[in-house]
Amino acid sequence: MRHHGVPFPRLPLPSAQPGGAGQGESLETFQQWLGEAIPLVGHLGIKRMYWQGDSLVWDLALSPNLNDKGTGFGGSLTAQTTLIGWCWTALWLRARLREQDVVVAQASQRFLAPVTGDYRLECRPCQVDGPEQLQARLASAGKGRLALVQQLYLDDVLCLEAEGDYAVLPAISTG
């Protein structure tokens, strides 16, 4: 059981994996840890998590995210877009064997069409060189930010587009 003000234990870092956005990580292990670290995750309807190029993709069930109209509840969809961006950034750091905290600094959403069935959420960097810019900032300052875009699709229809700015905090010294 989680307690207020008590950080959840970190997931051990994966074995070193060259390159990629975090593709060397066992996403099943990460998702299990995520559900324990953030209890809400177990209620979001995440059926599958996988990488497609530099995009982190989730397949989601609509049923736990219904609103009173029988479509996707905006609050749930917003939570999912925020969380997938956090996961993208955390997995990217983990692939580089960096234990640093990630927080969302800013987020915005545009709802374009109702979500009426199970759906797919994709997250990728806003700029192709965004991860390289973050890497350089981490090397020089020990902290940085990364802008990510999240797109929610029902089949091939774009229903929601969101952007998030994720801050990587300085590493905490354990010495």
Side-chain angles (χ1 to χ4, degrees):
M1 176 173 192
R2 293 296 314 276
H3 298 285
H4 299 233
V6 178
F8 194 77
R10 290 182 184 271
L11 182 64
L13 289 172
S15 302
Q17 298 290 329
Q23 287 90 332
E25 179 92 41
S26 163
L27 293 180
E28 292 81 14
T29 300
F30 181 79
Q31 186 174 349
Q32 180 180 354
W33 172 85
L34 188 66
E36 295 167 4
I38 304 173
L40 176 65
V41 169
H43 304 282
L44 292 177
I46 303 169
K47 297 191 296 187
R48 187 167 73 122
M49 181 184 300
Y50 56 98
W51 288 101
Q52 193 168 42
D54 67 347
S55 292
L56 181 60
V57 182
W58 290 355
D59 292 332
L60 295 122
L62 176 61
S63 57
N65 300 293
L66 287 170
N67 64 17
D68 59 319
K69 295 158 206 63
T71 62
F73 173 58
S76 291
L77 305 179
T78 297
Q80 292 166 352
T81 62
T82 301
L83 184 61
I84 196 171
W86 182 92
C87 289
W88 194 105
T89 308
L91 288 165
W92 183 90
L93 288 166
R94 292 174 57 72
R96 284 145 189 83
L97 305 179
R98 297 188 74 104
E99 278 193 330
Q100 289 180 254
D101 287 326
V102 176
V103 296
V104 62
Q106 183 176 335
S108 63
Q109 303 81 29
R110 284 187 10 191
F111 296 87
L112 305 169
V115 179
T116 58
D118 291 354
Y119 53 98
R120 178 180 81 255
L121 185 57
E122 300 178 4
C123 178
R124 69 179 184 291
C126 287
Q127 300 175 340
V128 174
D129 65 344
E132 290 79 19
Q133 290 179 23
L134 176 59
Q135 182 71 38
R137 185 78 174 131
L138 291 172
S140 68
K143 62 182 181 176
R145 286 187 181 216
L146 178 65
L148 297 170
V149 62
Q150 300 90 20
Q151 295 177 311
L152 186 154
Y153 292 93
L154 176 63
D155 299 317
D156 292 327
V157 176
L158 179 62
C159 297
L160 167 62
E161 187 163 51
E163 288 191 23
D165 189 22
Y166 293 83
V168 178
L169 304 179
I172 298 172
S173 174
T174 58

